[in-house]
Structures are given as structure tokens and as C-alpha cells.
Amino acid sequence: QVQLVESGGGLVQAGESLRLSCAASGSISSINAINFMGWHRQAPGKQRELIAFISSAGTTNYADSAKGRFTISRDSAKNTVYLRMNDLKPEDTAVYCCYVVTSRVYWGQGTQVTVSS
């Protein structure tokens, strides 16, 4: 079992930045089994969208909507994944959920990001 706790969401104005954090905890075997960590988001009335993920080797992948503005990083020593979001836009408003992949997928509860124009 892996537990995920997100933080860093909030209300910002367009053009501002936020950094989301997601800390994973659980048994040593579960933590060591984490292959990928990443973020999805879901805006009201829209489908869930994969934003970015990072492998245990540090390889990253971004949705087109995130390229150039968002950066995903991972601190393996802290079992934490971060999502730095720059130049936020109102259309980035959503609930952002982190996830990790071991032999299954674990999800966090989500953190609200609201960007005002």
C-alpha cells in the first residue's frame, strides 16, 4: 500500500506560479516498487487529463498543455514528486491529483488549483 499526500494548491492570478508537492509513504517494499510518479488534473465538466509523469530513472513526459510551463521533478530520498507550474492560465483551473505506479496505481486525494483572470 502507498499513501499519497498532496499540497501546494491554491488561488492565484493569471501569470503567477505554484508548486505542487506529493509525498508518498508506505512500506519499504511498496515505496521501492514505485516506477512512475505523475500528475493528472480534472476541470469541472471535463475529462481527466494526464499532465506529466516521471520515471524512476528521471525520464519525463508532458501533455502538450503543460510543455514549456510546467516542470515535474522527483526527490527519491523524500519519495516526493513536484509539479512546478509557471505562467498559470484560467484554463489551468482544476483539481490536480498525483499518482504513483507500482504493480497498481495509487491516487492522491487531489488539491484544488484556481487561476483567476
Side-chain angles (χ1 to χ4, degrees), residues 2-23:
V2 177
Q3 294 78 45
L4 301 172
V5 178
E6 297 126 328
S7 61
L11 171 63
V12 297
Q13 293 187 333
E16 294 185 338
S17 299
L18 279 175
R19 190 181 77 157
L20 306 182
S21 301
C22 175

Side-chain angles (χ1 to χ4, degrees), residues 7 14-15 30 36 38 47 55-56 68 87 90 102 105 108 113 116-117:
S7 61
S30 295
F36 295 94
Q47 289 189 329
S55 73
S56 57
D87 189 25
T102 61
V105 181
V113 172
S116 63
S117 58

Side-chain angles (χ1 to χ4, degrees), residues 33-116:
I34 294 176
N35 293 313
F36 295 94
M37 305 180 80
W39 295 88
H40 277 82
R41 70 183 181 187
Q42 186 160 21
K46 294 186 177 181
Q47 289 189 329
R48 188 169 59 193
E49 177 187 16
L50 173 64
I51 295 300
F53 64 85
I54 184 168
S55 73
S56 57
T59 303
T60 59
N61 191 284
Y62 295 91
D64 288 342
S65 59
K67 289 178 181 176
R69 298 189 298 127
F70 294 3
T71 302
I72 190 169
S73 60
R74 179 173 177 172
D75 186 335
S76 297
K78 296 181 178 180
N79 303 318
T80 299
V81 62
Y82 304 96
L83 185 68
R84 175 71 179 184
M85 305 184 292
N86 295 328
D87 189 25
L88 283 162
K89 306 176 186 302
E91 51 264 40
D92 294 318
T93 295
V95 175
Y96 286 71
C97 293
C98 71
Y99 71 96
V100 301
V101 179
T102 61
S103 58
R104 53 160 288 187
V105 181
Y106 296 89
W107 293 91
Q109 292 296 311
T111 184
Q112 177 70 46
V113 172
T114 303
V115 184
S116 63

